[in-house]
Amino acid sequence: MPLSAHARTARSGSMVRRRRAMRRICSRIFNHVIDQWYTEQVRPRLRGSSSLVRFCDDFVMLFAHKVDAERVLAVLDKRLGKFGLQLHPDKTRLVDFRPRRSEREIEESTLPTTFNFLGFTHVWGKSRKGAVVVRQLTAKDRLARSLKAINQRCKRMLHWPLRTQHQRLCRVLKGHYAYFGITGNFKRLNLCIIKCAGSGRSGCRGGRRRAMLSGQGTSGCSNGSLCRRHGSFMPTPPGERSCATKNRMR
């Protein structure tokens, strides 16, 4: 039985509250299991400097010496096992994340040099002034998942009015930009725009076919443009002809 708009809103609101409650519970658990253990027992026994970055149950430990990282990794699984927890086998690994390495170290090292954390791939790069900085790019799996979700949404909205399609896609892209829109991530964001524009044009063509079959005609991509030129899903500025109108004039 399909849910009404009010029922869907109430259901989504309850799911958001559950997720927030679960995050608070996980944060308190890992605050005791990881944070206090790392601060009180691990850090004083290390040879060099170290730091811990954690969000809910995802965390990254940074070490100045490889020996310290190997020692902590050896006992980390045992620490989590005391509380009925375990490390994710695909996400747990050692990474040689140094900005500068000699040619000999590059040839001898077999460790990966990048890592994913909270949906971002962390790599070394250079700023406009030439300084060495850490770049955060949208992870490939997260980008593929987002594009797949957008494509499925466009297929579901194929028979919706163009204005409604435009509003929904704008809302989806704004949410994507709000999280992944950071410095140095422009190329991945632009790739999402291009792919999303291709999915949106299919819905736009579907709207034209419906309009012609119903005898109402179509105004192309007037307001709520989904054409190639306005691939960023922004409305056509007032007083400017849409791309479809210009092509017909030619």
Side-chain angles (χ1 to χ4, degrees):
M1 180 178 180
L3 296 175
S4 62
H6 176 72
R8 283 196 294 265
T9 304
R11 183 177 179 181
S12 61
S14 63
M15 292 178 63
V16 170
R17 288 191 293 270
R18 291 178 183 175
R19 291 176 182 175
R20 291 177 180 176
M22 289 299 297
R23 287 179 180 176
R24 288 195 293 267
I25 295 174
C26 290
S27 180
R28 293 176 182 176
I29 293 175
F30 279 89
N31 181 43
H32 172 70
V33 176
I34 298 296
D35 298 358
Q36 295 182 5
W37 171 73
Y38 171 81
T39 304
E40 298 174 0
Q41 301 184 28
V42 175
R43 184 180 287 177
R45 293 179 171 86
L46 300 178
R47 294 174 51 187
S49 60
S50 176
S51 59
L52 169 68
V53 180
R54 183 183 63 83
F55 177 79
C56 198
D57 59 340
D58 294 331
F59 59 91
V60 174
M61 292 182 177
L62 308 176
F63 302 92
H65 299 282
K66 181 181 178 181
V67 178
D68 293 337
E70 293 175 345
R71 289 174 54 195
V72 174
L73 182 61
V75 300
L76 183 59
D77 196 16
K78 298 179 182 178
R79 172 65 180 179
L80 296 177
K82 292 181 180 180
F83 301 91
L85 303 173
Q86 60 182 359
L87 295 172
H88 195 287
D90 298 332
K91 296 182 178 180
T92 306
R93 59 177 181 171
L94 289 177
V95 179
D96 188 2
F97 196 69
R98 290 179 292 176
R100 295 182 178 89
R101 297 183 299 167
S102 63
E103 296 182 358
R104 181 180 178 182
E105 291 176 342
I106 295 176
E107 293 177 356
E108 295 179 353
S109 178
T110 58
L111 298 176
T113 57
T114 62
F115 65 95
N116 294 342
F117 184 58
L118 300 180
F120 290 94
T121 300
H122 294 70
V123 299
W124 286 103
K126 289 187 177 181
S127 63
R128 293 183 178 180
K129 296 182 179 180
V132 180
V133 296
V134 177
R135 292 290 189 187
Q136 294 175 304
L137 311 176
T138 306
K140 292 183 179 180
D141 56 342
R142 294 293 293 271
L143 180 61
R145 188 169 66 184
S146 299
L147 294 177
K148 182 179 179 180
I150 291 173
N151 189 28
Q152 292 177 352
R153 181 182 292 269
C154 289
K155 289 181 179 179
R156 291 196 302 266
M157 299 189 304
L158 186 62
H159 302 289
W160 294 13
L162 291 180
R163 185 178 297 274
T164 305
Q165 294 185 35
H166 172 261
Q167 293 175 353
R168 291 297 180 89
L169 289 176
C170 283
R171 194 179 304 170
V172 171
L173 285 177
K174 286 180 180 179
H176 185 81
Y177 298 158
Y179 186 80
F180 292 102
I182 60 176
T183 303
N185 196 26
F186 173 76
K187 291 184 178 180
R188 296 289 172 90
L189 291 177
N190 190 39
L191 180 61
C192 182
I193 292 175
I194 296 174
K195 297 294 184 179
C196 191
S199 300
R201 280 197 297 272
S202 63
C204 185
R205 290 192 294 268
R208 290 197 189 99
R209 288 195 296 267
R210 287 195 315 276
M212 286 187 292
L213 290 174
S214 60
Q216 297 176 358
T218 178
S219 57
C221 299
S222 55
N223 289 330
S225 175
L226 296 174
C227 56
R228 183 179 297 275
R229 178 181 175 186
H230 303 99
S232 58
F233 298 102
M234 295 302 293
T236 304
E240 181 180 343
R241 297 188 182 93
S242 64
C243 294
T245 305
K246 290 183 179 181
N247 291 335
R248 286 197 298 269
M249 292 178 64
R250 292 175 184 174

